[in-house]
PDB file of all heavy atoms in Angstrom:
ATOM      1  N   ARG A  27       1.390   4.616 -14.387  1.00 97.00           N
ATOM      2  CA  ARG A  27       2.814   4.321 -14.544  1.00 97.00           C
ATOM      3  C   ARG A  27       3.105   3.897 -15.985  1.00 97.00           C
ATOM      4  O   ARG A  27       2.265   3.284 -16.638  1.00 97.00           O
ATOM      5  CB  ARG A  27       3.260   3.198 -13.585  1.00 97.00           C
ATOM      6  CG  ARG A  27       3.076   3.505 -12.112  1.00 97.00           C
ATOM      7  CD  ARG A  27       3.533   2.328 -11.268  1.00 97.00           C
ATOM      8  NE  ARG A  27       4.942   2.001 -11.506  1.00 97.00           N
ATOM      9  CZ  ARG A  27       5.429   0.759 -11.486  1.00 97.00           C
ATOM     10  NH1 ARG A  27       4.624  -0.278 -11.267  1.00 97.00           N
ATOM     11  NH2 ARG A  27       6.722   0.544 -11.703  1.00 97.00           N
ATOM     12  N   GLY A  28       4.298   4.232 -16.460  1.00 95.00           N
ATOM     13  CA  GLY A  28       4.755   3.746 -17.757  1.00 95.00           C
ATOM     14  C   GLY A  28       3.931   4.199 -18.942  1.00 95.00           C
ATOM     15  O   GLY A  28       3.918   3.531 -19.974  1.00 95.00           O
ATOM     16  N   GLY A  29       3.213   5.306 -18.802  1.00 96.00           N
ATOM     17  CA  GLY A  29       2.351   5.775 -19.887  1.00 96.00           C
ATOM     18  C   GLY A  29       0.921   5.316 -19.782  1.00 96.00           C
ATOM     19  O   GLY A  29       0.074   5.681 -20.618  1.00 96.00           O
ATOM     20  N   VAL A  30       0.595   4.521 -18.760  1.00 98.00           N
ATOM     21  CA  VAL A  30      -0.779   4.065 -18.527  1.00 98.00           C
ATOM     22  C   VAL A  30      -1.515   5.131 -17.716  1.00 98.00           C
ATOM     23  O   VAL A  30      -0.987   5.605 -16.696  1.00 98.00           O
ATOM     24  CB  VAL A  30      -0.789   2.714 -17.784  1.00 98.00           C
ATOM     25  CG1 VAL A  30      -2.215   2.254 -17.529  1.00 98.00           C
ATOM     26  CG2 VAL A  30      -0.015   1.672 -18.565  1.00 98.00           C
ATOM     27  N   PRO A  31      -2.728   5.541 -18.135  1.00 98.00           N
ATOM     28  CA  PRO A  31      -3.449   6.574 -17.381  1.00 98.00           C
ATOM     29  C   PRO A  31      -3.743   6.147 -15.942  1.00 98.00           C
ATOM     30  O   PRO A  31      -3.798   4.958 -15.626  1.00 98.00           O
ATOM     31  CB  PRO A  31      -4.754   6.746 -18.173  1.00 98.00           C
ATOM     32  CG  PRO A  31      -4.471   6.199 -19.522  1.00 98.00           C
ATOM     33  CD  PRO A  31      -3.471   5.108 -19.331  1.00 98.00           C
ATOM     34  N   ALA A  32      -3.936   7.129 -15.086  1.00 97.00           N
ATOM     35  CA  ALA A  32      -4.216   6.853 -13.671  1.00 97.00           C
ATOM     36  C   ALA A  32      -5.621   6.316 -13.466  1.00 97.00           C
ATOM     37  O   ALA A  32      -5.888   5.631 -12.466  1.00 97.00           O
ATOM     38  CB  ALA A  32      -4.018   8.125 -12.845  1.00 97.00           C
ATOM     39  N   GLU A  33      -6.537   6.608 -14.381  1.00 97.00           N
ATOM     40  CA  GLU A  33      -7.925   6.177 -14.225  1.00 97.00           C
ATOM     41  C   GLU A  33      -8.482   5.667 -15.556  1.00 97.00           C
ATOM     42  O   GLU A  33      -7.956   5.980 -16.625  1.00 97.00           O
ATOM     43  CB  GLU A  33      -8.796   7.335 -13.724  1.00 97.00           C
ATOM     44  CG  GLU A  33      -8.408   7.856 -12.343  1.00 97.00           C
ATOM     45  CD  GLU A  33      -9.301   8.997 -11.890  1.00 97.00           C
ATOM     46  OE1 GLU A  33     -10.031   9.553 -12.742  1.00 97.00           O
ATOM     47  OE2 GLU A  33      -9.265   9.339 -10.693  1.00 97.00           O
ATOM     48  N   GLY A  34      -9.549   4.887 -15.478  1.00 97.00           N
ATOM     49  CA  GLY A  34     -10.290   4.463 -16.664  1.00 97.00           C
ATOM     50  C   GLY A  34      -9.704   3.292 -17.416  1.00 97.00           C
ATOM     51  O   GLY A  34     -10.153   2.981 -18.520  1.00 97.00           O
ATOM     52  N   VAL A  35      -8.718   2.595 -16.841  1.00 98.00           N
ATOM     53  CA  VAL A  35      -8.083   1.466 -17.519  1.00 98.00           C
ATOM     54  C   VAL A  35      -8.791   0.173 -17.128  1.00 98.00           C
ATOM     55  O   VAL A  35      -8.924  -0.134 -15.937  1.00 98.00           O
ATOM     56  CB  VAL A  35      -6.588   1.382 -17.169  1.00 98.00           C
ATOM     57  CG1 VAL A  35      -5.942   0.159 -17.814  1.00 98.00           C
ATOM     58  CG2 VAL A  35      -5.876   2.648 -17.614  1.00 98.00           C
ATOM     59  N   THR A  36      -9.237  -0.580 -18.128  1.00 97.00           N
ATOM     60  CA  THR A  36      -9.946  -1.836 -17.856  1.00 97.00           C
ATOM     61  C   THR A  36      -9.041  -3.061 -17.932  1.00 97.00           C
ATOM     62  O   THR A  36      -9.302  -4.074 -17.295  1.00 97.00           O
ATOM     63  CB  THR A  36     -11.100  -2.027 -18.848  1.00 97.00           C
ATOM     64  OG1 THR A  36     -10.583  -2.026 -20.190  1.00 97.00           O
ATOM     65  CG2 THR A  36     -12.131  -0.913 -18.711  1.00 97.00           C
ATOM     66  N   ALA A  37      -7.960  -2.979 -18.722  1.00 97.00           N
ATOM     67  CA  ALA A  37      -7.028  -4.101 -18.858  1.00 97.00           C
ATOM     68  C   ALA A  37      -5.717  -3.579 -19.423  1.00 97.00           C
ATOM     69  O   ALA A  37      -5.673  -2.510 -20.039  1.00 97.00           O
ATOM     70  CB  ALA A  37      -7.608  -5.187 -19.763  1.00 97.00           C
ATOM     71  N   VAL A  38      -4.655  -4.341 -19.218  1.00 98.00           N
ATOM     72  CA  VAL A  38      -3.350  -3.996 -19.781  1.00 98.00           C
ATOM     73  C   VAL A  38      -2.786  -5.209 -20.508  1.00 98.00           C
ATOM     74  O   VAL A  38      -3.146  -6.353 -20.223  1.00 98.00           O
ATOM     75  CB  VAL A  38      -2.346  -3.537 -18.700  1.00 98.00           C
ATOM     76  CG1 VAL A  38      -2.714  -2.177 -18.157  1.00 98.00           C
ATOM     77  CG2 VAL A  38      -2.234  -4.569 -17.581  1.00 98.00           C
ATOM     78  N   ILE A  39      -1.911  -4.922 -21.477  1.00 97.00           N
ATOM     79  CA  ILE A  39      -1.144  -5.983 -22.122  1.00 97.00           C
ATOM     80  C   ILE A  39       0.280  -5.915 -21.571  1.00 97.00           C
ATOM     81  O   ILE A  39       0.955  -4.890 -21.681  1.00 97.00           O
ATOM     82  CB  ILE A  39      -1.125  -5.837 -23.647  1.00 97.00           C
ATOM     83  CG1 ILE A  39      -2.541  -6.039 -24.212  1.00 97.00           C
ATOM     84  CG2 ILE A  39      -0.175  -6.850 -24.271  1.00 97.00           C
ATOM     85  CD1 ILE A  39      -2.609  -5.990 -25.730  1.00 97.00           C
ATOM     86  N   LEU A  40       0.711  -7.010 -20.949  1.00 97.00           N
ATOM     87  CA  LEU A  40       2.032  -7.095 -20.347  1.00 97.00           C
ATOM     88  C   LEU A  40       2.829  -8.223 -20.984  1.00 97.00           C
ATOM     89  O   LEU A  40       2.260  -9.264 -21.348  1.00 97.00           O
ATOM     90  CB  LEU A  40       1.936  -7.374 -18.839  1.00 97.00           C
ATOM     91  CG  LEU A  40       1.195  -6.378 -17.950  1.00 97.00           C
ATOM     92  CD1 LEU A  40       1.146  -6.916 -16.527  1.00 97.00           C
ATOM     93  CD2 LEU A  40       1.886  -5.020 -17.968  1.00 97.00           C
ATOM     94  N   ASN A  41       4.119  -8.022 -21.097  1.00 96.00           N
ATOM     95  CA  ASN A  41       5.021  -9.131 -21.382  1.00 96.00           C
ATOM     96  C   ASN A  41       5.671  -9.502 -20.060  1.00 96.00           C
ATOM     97  O   ASN A  41       6.455  -8.735 -19.501  1.00 96.00           O
ATOM     98  CB  ASN A  41       6.076  -8.743 -22.413  1.00 96.00           C
ATOM     99  CG  ASN A  41       6.871  -9.943 -22.873  1.00 96.00           C
ATOM    100  OD1 ASN A  41       6.312 -10.871 -23.453  1.00 96.00           O
ATOM    101  ND2 ASN A  41       8.173  -9.942 -22.622  1.00 96.00           N
ATOM    102  N   VAL A  42       5.313 -10.672 -19.538  1.00 97.00           N
ATOM    103  CA  VAL A  42       5.813 -11.119 -18.237  1.00 97.00           C
ATOM    104  C   VAL A  42       6.907 -12.160 -18.464  1.00 97.00           C
ATOM    105  O   VAL A  42       6.704 -13.128 -19.204  1.00 97.00           O
ATOM    106  CB  VAL A  42       4.683 -11.718 -17.375  1.00 97.00           C
ATOM    107  CG1 VAL A  42       5.231 -12.196 -16.033  1.00 97.00           C
ATOM    108  CG2 VAL A  42       3.584 -10.681 -17.149  1.00 97.00           C
ATOM    109  N   THR A  43       8.043 -11.949 -17.839  1.00 95.00           N
ATOM    110  CA  THR A  43       9.164 -12.880 -17.953  1.00 95.00           C
ATOM    111  C   THR A  43       9.505 -13.429 -16.576  1.00 95.00           C
ATOM    112  O   THR A  43       9.615 -12.667 -15.608  1.00 95.00           O
ATOM    113  CB  THR A  43      10.403 -12.178 -18.543  1.00 95.00           C
ATOM    114  OG1 THR A  43      10.076 -11.642 -19.828  1.00 95.00           O
ATOM    115  CG2 THR A  43      11.564 -13.157 -18.701  1.00 95.00           C
ATOM    116  N   VAL A  44       9.649 -14.746 -16.493  1.00 96.00           N
ATOM    117  CA  VAL A  44      10.167 -15.367 -15.274  1.00 96.00           C
ATOM    118  C   VAL A  44      11.637 -15.691 -15.506  1.00 96.00           C
ATOM    119  O   VAL A  44      12.038 -16.088 -16.607  1.00 96.00           O
ATOM    120  CB  VAL A  44       9.387 -16.647 -14.889  1.00 96.00           C
ATOM    121  CG1 VAL A  44       7.937 -16.326 -14.599  1.00 96.00           C
ATOM    122  CG2 VAL A  44       9.482 -17.715 -15.951  1.00 96.00           C
ATOM    123  N   THR A  45      12.455 -15.504 -14.458  1.00 96.00           N
ATOM    124  CA  THR A  45      13.878 -15.802 -14.564  1.00 96.00           C
ATOM    125  C   THR A  45      14.396 -16.225 -13.192  1.00 96.00           C
ATOM    126  O   THR A  45      13.800 -15.879 -12.161  1.00 96.00           O
ATOM    127  CB  THR A  45      14.661 -14.582 -15.108  1.00 96.00           C
ATOM    128  OG1 THR A  45      15.992 -14.985 -15.422  1.00 96.00           O
ATOM    129  CG2 THR A  45      14.650 -13.414 -14.148  1.00 96.00           C
ATOM    130  N   ASN A  46      15.444 -16.997 -13.187  1.00 96.00           N
ATOM    131  CA  ASN A  46      16.079 -17.495 -11.959  1.00 96.00           C
ATOM    132  C   ASN A  46      15.149 -18.318 -11.067  1.00 96.00           C
ATOM    133  O   ASN A  46      15.228 -18.241  -9.831  1.00 96.00           O
ATOM    134  CB  ASN A  46      16.647 -16.324 -11.123  1.00 96.00           C
ATOM    135  CG  ASN A  46      17.560 -15.425 -11.919  1.00 96.00           C
ATOM    136  OD1 ASN A  46      18.372 -15.904 -12.711  1.00 96.00           O
ATOM    137  ND2 ASN A  46      17.428 -14.113 -11.720  1.00 96.00           N
ATOM    138  N   PRO A  47      14.254 -19.148 -11.634  1.00 97.00           N
ATOM    139  CA  PRO A  47      13.386 -19.953 -10.765  1.00 97.00           C
ATOM    140  C   PRO A  47      14.180 -21.082 -10.085  1.00 97.00           C
ATOM    141  O   PRO A  47      15.105 -21.653 -10.682  1.00 97.00           O
ATOM    142  CB  PRO A  47      12.346 -20.518 -11.732  1.00 97.00           C
ATOM    143  CG  PRO A  47      13.038 -20.570 -13.043  1.00 97.00           C
ATOM    144  CD  PRO A  47      13.984 -19.409 -13.069  1.00 97.00           C
ATOM    145  N   THR A  48      13.801 -21.392  -8.866  1.00 98.00           N
ATOM    146  CA  THR A  48      14.490 -22.451  -8.127  1.00 98.00           C
ATOM    147  C   THR A  48      13.822 -23.809  -8.283  1.00 98.00           C
ATOM    148  O   THR A  48      14.447 -24.833  -8.007  1.00 98.00           O
ATOM    149  CB  THR A  48      14.547 -22.102  -6.635  1.00 98.00           C
ATOM    150  OG1 THR A  48      13.200 -21.966  -6.136  1.00 98.00           O
ATOM    151  CG2 THR A  48      15.313 -20.799  -6.399  1.00 98.00           C
ATOM    152  N   ASP A  49      12.549 -23.817  -8.728  1.00 97.00           N
ATOM    153  CA  ASP A  49      11.796 -25.056  -8.852  1.00 97.00           C
ATOM    154  C   ASP A  49      10.928 -25.025 -10.097  1.00 97.00           C
ATOM    155  O   ASP A  49      10.660 -23.965 -10.663  1.00 97.00           O
ATOM    156  CB  ASP A  49      10.882 -25.259  -7.630  1.00 97.00           C
ATOM    157  CG  ASP A  49      11.627 -25.641  -6.381  1.00 97.00           C
ATOM    158  OD1 ASP A  49      12.139 -24.710  -5.705  1.00 97.00           O
ATOM    159  OD2 ASP A  49      11.712 -26.831  -6.066  1.00 97.00           O
ATOM    160  N   GLU A  50      10.444 -26.187 -10.500  1.00 95.00           N
ATOM    161  CA  GLU A  50       9.417 -26.262 -11.536  1.00 95.00           C
ATOM    162  C   GLU A  50       8.121 -25.714 -10.965  1.00 95.00           C
ATOM    163  O   GLU A  50       7.668 -26.145  -9.902  1.00 95.00           O
ATOM    164  CB  GLU A  50       9.236 -27.711 -11.979  1.00 95.00           C
ATOM    165  CG  GLU A  50       8.242 -27.882 -13.108  1.00 95.00           C
ATOM    166  CD  GLU A  50       8.194 -29.312 -13.607  1.00 95.00           C
ATOM    167  OE1 GLU A  50       9.175 -30.036 -13.425  1.00 95.00           O
ATOM    168  OE2 GLU A  50       7.154 -29.685 -14.185  1.00 95.00           O
ATOM    169  N   SER A  51       7.525 -24.756 -11.656  1.00 96.00           N
ATOM    170  CA  SER A  51       6.368 -24.069 -11.093  1.00 96.00           C
ATOM    171  C   SER A  51       5.563 -23.404 -12.202  1.00 96.00           C
ATOM    172  O   SER A  51       5.820 -23.599 -13.403  1.00 96.00           O
ATOM    173  CB  SER A  51       6.830 -23.021 -10.068  1.00 96.00           C
ATOM    174  OG  SER A  51       5.745 -22.352  -9.456  1.00 96.00           O
ATOM    175  N   TYR A  52       4.596 -22.581 -11.797  1.00 96.00           N
ATOM    176  CA  TYR A  52       3.844 -21.757 -12.745  1.00 96.00           C
ATOM    177  C   TYR A  52       3.492 -20.434 -12.080  1.00 96.00           C
ATOM    178  O   TYR A  52       3.465 -20.316 -10.844  1.00 96.00           O
ATOM    179  CB  TYR A  52       2.583 -22.471 -13.241  1.00 96.00           C
ATOM    180  CG  TYR A  52       1.525 -22.741 -12.193  1.00 96.00           C
ATOM    181  CD1 TYR A  52       0.594 -21.766 -11.826  1.00 96.00           C
ATOM    182  CD2 TYR A  52       1.439 -23.992 -11.565  1.00 96.00           C
ATOM    183  CE1 TYR A  52      -0.377 -22.008 -10.871  1.00 96.00           C
ATOM    184  CE2 TYR A  52       0.472 -24.243 -10.615  1.00 96.00           C
ATOM    185  CZ  TYR A  52      -0.428 -23.253 -10.264  1.00 96.00           C
ATOM    186  OH  TYR A  52      -1.382 -23.504  -9.310  1.00 96.00           O
ATOM    187  N   VAL A  53       3.226 -19.438 -12.919  1.00 97.00           N
ATOM    188  CA  VAL A  53       2.813 -18.107 -12.473  1.00 97.00           C
ATOM    189  C   VAL A  53       1.481 -17.759 -13.116  1.00 97.00           C
ATOM    190  O   VAL A  53       1.264 -18.046 -14.303  1.00 97.00           O
ATOM    191  CB  VAL A  53       3.877 -17.045 -12.819  1.00 97.00           C
ATOM    192  CG1 VAL A  53       3.292 -15.630 -12.755  1.00 97.00           C
ATOM    193  CG2 VAL A  53       5.073 -17.159 -11.889  1.00 97.00           C
ATOM    194  N   THR A  54       0.601 -17.155 -12.338  1.00 96.00           N
ATOM    195  CA  THR A  54      -0.712 -16.728 -12.826  1.00 96.00           C
ATOM    196  C   THR A  54      -0.874 -15.227 -12.641  1.00 96.00           C
ATOM    197  O   THR A  54      -0.569 -14.690 -11.572  1.00 96.00           O
ATOM    198  CB  THR A  54      -1.844 -17.449 -12.055  1.00 96.00           C
ATOM    199  OG1 THR A  54      -1.712 -18.859 -12.236  1.00 96.00           O
ATOM    200  CG2 THR A  54      -3.214 -17.007 -12.545  1.00 96.00           C
ATOM    201  N   ALA A  55      -1.337 -14.540 -13.689  1.00 96.00           N
ATOM    202  CA  ALA A  55      -1.668 -13.117 -13.620  1.00 96.00           C
ATOM    203  C   ALA A  55      -3.183 -12.975 -13.599  1.00 96.00           C
ATOM    204  O   ALA A  55      -3.878 -13.596 -14.407  1.00 96.00           O
ATOM    205  CB  ALA A  55      -1.084 -12.378 -14.820  1.00 96.00           C
ATOM    206  N   TYR A  56      -3.703 -12.152 -12.690  1.00 95.00           N
ATOM    207  CA  TYR A  56      -5.162 -12.048 -12.566  1.00 95.00           C
ATOM    208  C   TYR A  56      -5.553 -10.702 -11.961  1.00 95.00           C
ATOM    209  O   TYR A  56      -4.701  -9.979 -11.427  1.00 95.00           O
ATOM    210  CB  TYR A  56      -5.713 -13.214 -11.740  1.00 95.00           C
ATOM    211  CG  TYR A  56      -5.172 -13.350 -10.326  1.00 95.00           C
ATOM    212  CD1 TYR A  56      -5.918 -12.941  -9.232  1.00 95.00           C
ATOM    213  CD2 TYR A  56      -3.913 -13.907 -10.084  1.00 95.00           C
ATOM    214  CE1 TYR A  56      -5.443 -13.080  -7.938  1.00 95.00           C
ATOM    215  CE2 TYR A  56      -3.417 -14.040  -8.806  1.00 95.00           C
ATOM    216  CZ  TYR A  56      -4.182 -13.621  -7.731  1.00 95.00           C
ATOM    217  OH  TYR A  56      -3.703 -13.751  -6.441  1.00 95.00           O
ATOM    218  N   PRO A  57      -6.843 -10.323 -12.038  1.00 94.00           N
ATOM    219  CA  PRO A  57      -7.278  -9.020 -11.533  1.00 94.00           C
ATOM    220  C   PRO A  57      -7.040  -8.898 -10.028  1.00 94.00           C
ATOM    221  O   PRO A  57      -7.277  -9.838  -9.274  1.00 94.00           O
ATOM    222  CB  PRO A  57      -8.772  -8.984 -11.864  1.00 94.00           C
ATOM    223  CG  PRO A  57      -8.979 -10.049 -12.885  1.00 94.00           C
ATOM    224  CD  PRO A  57      -7.949 -11.087 -12.647  1.00 94.00           C
ATOM    225  N   HIS A  58      -6.573  -7.740  -9.611  1.00 96.00           N
ATOM    226  CA  HIS A  58      -6.256  -7.525  -8.202  1.00 96.00           C
ATOM    227  C   HIS A  58      -7.471  -7.736  -7.300  1.00 96.00           C
ATOM    228  O   HIS A  58      -8.576  -7.274  -7.584  1.00 96.00           O
ATOM    229  CB  HIS A  58      -5.734  -6.108  -7.993  1.00 96.00           C
ATOM    230  CG  HIS A  58      -5.568  -5.740  -6.552  1.00 96.00           C
ATOM    231  ND1 HIS A  58      -4.662  -6.367  -5.726  1.00 96.00           N
ATOM    232  CD2 HIS A  58      -6.218  -4.817  -5.780  1.00 96.00           C
ATOM    233  CE1 HIS A  58      -4.735  -5.850  -4.517  1.00 96.00           C
ATOM    234  NE2 HIS A  58      -5.669  -4.901  -4.524  1.00 96.00           N
ATOM    235  N   GLY A  59      -7.219  -8.439  -6.204  1.00 92.00           N
ATOM    236  CA  GLY A  59      -8.237  -8.587  -5.172  1.00 92.00           C
ATOM    237  C   GLY A  59      -9.328  -9.575  -5.473  1.00 92.00           C
ATOM    238  O   GLY A  59     -10.247  -9.754  -4.652  1.00 92.00           O
ATOM    239  N   THR A  60      -9.286 -10.235  -6.622  1.00 93.00           N
ATOM    240  CA  THR A  60     -10.293 -11.232  -6.964  1.00 93.00           C
ATOM    241  C   THR A  60      -9.778 -12.617  -6.576  1.00 93.00           C
ATOM    242  O   THR A  60      -8.602 -12.805  -6.271  1.00 93.00           O
ATOM    243  CB  THR A  60     -10.612 -11.203  -8.463  1.00 93.00           C
ATOM    244  OG1 THR A  60      -9.433 -11.558  -9.207  1.00 93.00           O
ATOM    245  CG2 THR A  60     -11.059  -9.814  -8.890  1.00 93.00           C
ATOM    246  N   GLY A  61     -10.663 -13.588  -6.585  1.00 92.00           N
ATOM    247  CA  GLY A  61     -10.253 -14.953  -6.284  1.00 92.00           C
ATOM    248  C   GLY A  61      -9.250 -15.449  -7.313  1.00 92.00           C
ATOM    249  O   GLY A  61      -9.424 -15.262  -8.516  1.00 92.00           O
ATOM    250  N   ARG A  62      -8.172 -16.090  -6.836  1.00 93.00           N
ATOM    251  CA  ARG A  62      -7.154 -16.584  -7.767  1.00 93.00           C
ATOM    252  C   ARG A  62      -7.728 -17.717  -8.604  1.00 93.00           C
ATOM    253  O   ARG A  62      -8.259 -18.687  -8.068  1.00 93.00           O
ATOM    254  CB  ARG A  62      -5.921 -17.054  -6.998  1.00 93.00           C
ATOM    255  CG  ARG A  62      -4.831 -17.626  -7.897  1.00 93.00           C
ATOM    256  CD  ARG A  62      -3.541 -17.825  -7.135  1.00 93.00           C
ATOM    257  NE  ARG A  62      -3.704 -18.674  -5.975  1.00 93.00           N
ATOM    258  CZ  ARG A  62      -3.673 -20.012  -6.017  1.00 93.00           C
ATOM    259  NH1 ARG A  62      -3.524 -20.628  -7.175  1.00 93.00           N
ATOM    260  NH2 ARG A  62      -3.814 -20.710  -4.905  1.00 93.00           N
ATOM    261  N   PRO A  63      -7.606 -17.622  -9.943  1.00 92.00           N
ATOM    262  CA  PRO A  63      -8.176 -18.663 -10.803  1.00 92.00           C
ATOM    263  C   PRO A  63      -7.266 -19.891 -10.861  1.00 92.00           C
ATOM    264  O   PRO A  63      -6.111 -19.857 -10.431  1.00 92.00           O
ATOM    265  CB  PRO A  63      -8.242 -17.981 -12.175  1.00 92.00           C
ATOM    266  CG  PRO A  63      -7.116 -16.991 -12.138  1.00 92.00           C
ATOM    267  CD  PRO A  63      -7.034 -16.499 -10.716  1.00 92.00           C
ATOM    268  N   THR A  64      -7.789 -20.968 -11.414  1.00 87.00           N
ATOM    269  CA  THR A  64      -6.977 -22.178 -11.607  1.00 87.00           C
ATOM    270  C   THR A  64      -6.119 -22.073 -12.865  1.00 87.00           C
ATOM    271  O   THR A  64      -5.264 -22.921 -13.105  1.00 87.00           O
ATOM    272  CB  THR A  64      -7.883 -23.417 -11.720  1.00 87.00           C
ATOM    273  OG1 THR A  64      -8.807 -23.215 -12.801  1.00 87.00           O
ATOM    274  CG2 THR A  64      -8.658 -23.637 -10.423  1.00 87.00           C
ATOM    275  N   ALA A  65      -6.350 -21.042 -13.663  1.00 88.00           N
ATOM    276  CA  ALA A  65      -5.581 -20.848 -14.893  1.00 88.00           C
ATOM    277  C   ALA A  65      -4.140 -20.464 -14.571  1.00 88.00           C
ATOM    278  O   ALA A  65      -3.824 -19.986 -13.477  1.00 88.00           O
ATOM    279  CB  ALA A  65      -6.228 -19.755 -15.737  1.00 88.00           C
ATOM    280  N   SER A  66      -3.250 -20.672 -15.555  1.00 90.00           N
ATOM    281  CA  SER A  66      -1.855 -20.264 -15.417  1.00 90.00           C
ATOM    282  C   SER A  66      -1.424 -19.528 -16.676  1.00 90.00           C
ATOM    283  O   SER A  66      -2.022 -19.688 -17.741  1.00 90.00           O
ATOM    284  CB  SER A  66      -0.948 -21.473 -15.188  1.00 90.00           C
ATOM    285  OG  SER A  66      -0.952 -22.329 -16.318  1.00 90.00           O
ATOM    286  N   ASN A  67      -0.354 -18.721 -16.554  1.00 94.00           N
ATOM    287  CA  ASN A  67       0.162 -17.970 -17.698  1.00 94.00           C
ATOM    288  C   ASN A  67       1.560 -18.384 -18.107  1.00 94.00           C
ATOM    289  O   ASN A  67       1.908 -18.332 -19.282  1.00 94.00           O
ATOM    290  CB  ASN A  67       0.153 -16.467 -17.395  1.00 94.00           C
ATOM    291  CG  ASN A  67      -1.241 -15.924 -17.175  1.00 94.00           C
ATOM    292  OD1 ASN A  67      -1.660 -15.744 -16.040  1.00 94.00           O
ATOM    293  ND2 ASN A  67      -1.959 -15.670 -18.249  1.00 94.00           N
ATOM    294  N   LEU A  68       2.387 -18.777 -17.148  1.00 93.00           N
ATOM    295  CA  LEU A  68       3.747 -19.219 -17.455  1.00 93.00           C
ATOM    296  C   LEU A  68       4.054 -20.507 -16.695  1.00 93.00           C
ATOM    297  O   LEU A  68       3.803 -20.589 -15.491  1.00 93.00           O
ATOM    298  CB  LEU A  68       4.777 -18.152 -17.076  1.00 93.00           C
ATOM    299  CG  LEU A  68       4.746 -16.855 -17.877  1.00 93.00           C
ATOM    300  CD1 LEU A  68       4.150 -15.741 -17.046  1.00 93.00           C
ATOM    301  CD2 LEU A  68       6.140 -16.467 -18.341  1.00 93.00           C
ATOM    302  N   ASN A  69       4.593 -21.471 -17.398  1.00 92.00           N
ATOM    303  CA  ASN A  69       5.064 -22.723 -16.799  1.00 92.00           C
ATOM    304  C   ASN A  69       6.559 -22.824 -17.056  1.00 92.00           C
ATOM    305  O   ASN A  69       7.015 -22.547 -18.171  1.00 92.00           O
ATOM    306  CB  ASN A  69       4.337 -23.917 -17.410  1.00 92.00           C
ATOM    307  CG  ASN A  69       2.835 -23.857 -17.210  1.00 92.00           C
ATOM    308  OD1 ASN A  69       2.160 -23.052 -17.850  1.00 92.00           O
ATOM    309  ND2 ASN A  69       2.311 -24.678 -16.337  1.00 92.00           N
ATOM    310  N   PHE A  70       7.347 -23.238 -16.047  1.00 93.00           N
ATOM    311  CA  PHE A  70       8.791 -23.167 -16.203  1.00 93.00           C
ATOM    312  C   PHE A  70       9.483 -24.213 -15.335  1.00 93.00           C
ATOM    313  O   PHE A  70       8.893 -24.788 -14.406  1.00 93.00           O
ATOM    314  CB  PHE A  70       9.293 -21.770 -15.846  1.00 93.00           C
ATOM    315  CG  PHE A  70       8.732 -21.207 -14.566  1.00 93.00           C
ATOM    316  CD1 PHE A  70       9.377 -21.403 -13.356  1.00 93.00           C
ATOM    317  CD2 PHE A  70       7.547 -20.485 -14.576  1.00 93.00           C
ATOM    318  CE1 PHE A  70       8.858 -20.900 -12.169  1.00 93.00           C
ATOM    319  CE2 PHE A  70       7.016 -19.971 -13.395  1.00 93.00           C
ATOM    320  CZ  PHE A  70       7.672 -20.179 -12.186  1.00 93.00           C
ATOM    321  N   THR A  71      10.750 -24.441 -15.659  1.00 93.00           N
ATOM    322  CA  THR A  71      11.597 -25.397 -14.940  1.00 93.00           C
ATOM    323  C   THR A  71      12.726 -24.641 -14.242  1.00 93.00           C
ATOM    324  O   THR A  71      12.970 -23.459 -14.547  1.00 93.00           O
ATOM    325  CB  THR A  71      12.186 -26.423 -15.925  1.00 93.00           C
ATOM    326  OG1 THR A  71      12.882 -25.727 -16.978  1.00 93.00           O
ATOM    327  CG2 THR A  71      11.076 -27.273 -16.541  1.00 93.00           C
ATOM    328  N   PRO A  72      13.445 -25.273 -13.312  1.00 96.00           N
ATOM    329  CA  PRO A  72      14.514 -24.571 -12.590  1.00 96.00           C
ATOM    330  C   PRO A  72      15.549 -23.963 -13.533  1.00 96.00           C
ATOM    331  O   PRO A  72      15.990 -24.593 -14.495  1.00 96.00           O
ATOM    332  CB  PRO A  72      15.138 -25.678 -11.729  1.00 96.00           C
ATOM    333  CG  PRO A  72      14.042 -26.666 -11.532  1.00 96.00           C
ATOM    334  CD  PRO A  72      13.256 -26.651 -12.806  1.00 96.00           C
ATOM    335  N   GLY A  73      15.908 -22.707 -13.285  1.00 94.00           N
ATOM    336  CA  GLY A  73      16.932 -22.029 -14.051  1.00 94.00           C
ATOM    337  C   GLY A  73      16.485 -21.464 -15.383  1.00 94.00           C
ATOM    338  O   GLY A  73      17.255 -20.788 -16.067  1.00 94.00           O
ATOM    339  N   GLU A  74      15.239 -21.692 -15.755  1.00 91.00           N
ATOM    340  CA  GLU A  74      14.752 -21.271 -17.070  1.00 91.00           C
ATOM    341  C   GLU A  74      14.316 -19.808 -17.053  1.00 91.00           C
ATOM    342  O   GLU A  74      13.754 -19.313 -16.080  1.00 91.00           O
ATOM    343  CB  GLU A  74      13.580 -22.157 -17.482  1.00 91.00           C
ATOM    344  CG  GLU A  74      13.077 -21.939 -18.901  1.00 91.00           C
ATOM    345  CD  GLU A  74      11.975 -22.916 -19.273  1.00 91.00           C
ATOM    346  OE1 GLU A  74      11.257 -23.397 -18.372  1.00 91.00           O
ATOM    347  OE2 GLU A  74      11.820 -23.191 -20.478  1.00 91.00           O
TER     348      GLU A  74
END
């Protein structure tokens, strides 16, 4: 999708934006199907 090949891709660079959050929270991006890490990528407050 989006110009990314169907096979042979080891990682992607994404710009991830959070919008319209209802609570203070965080979002984590990680490899599909693996154990969710304790790391986070975005921290945000309501409405940010």
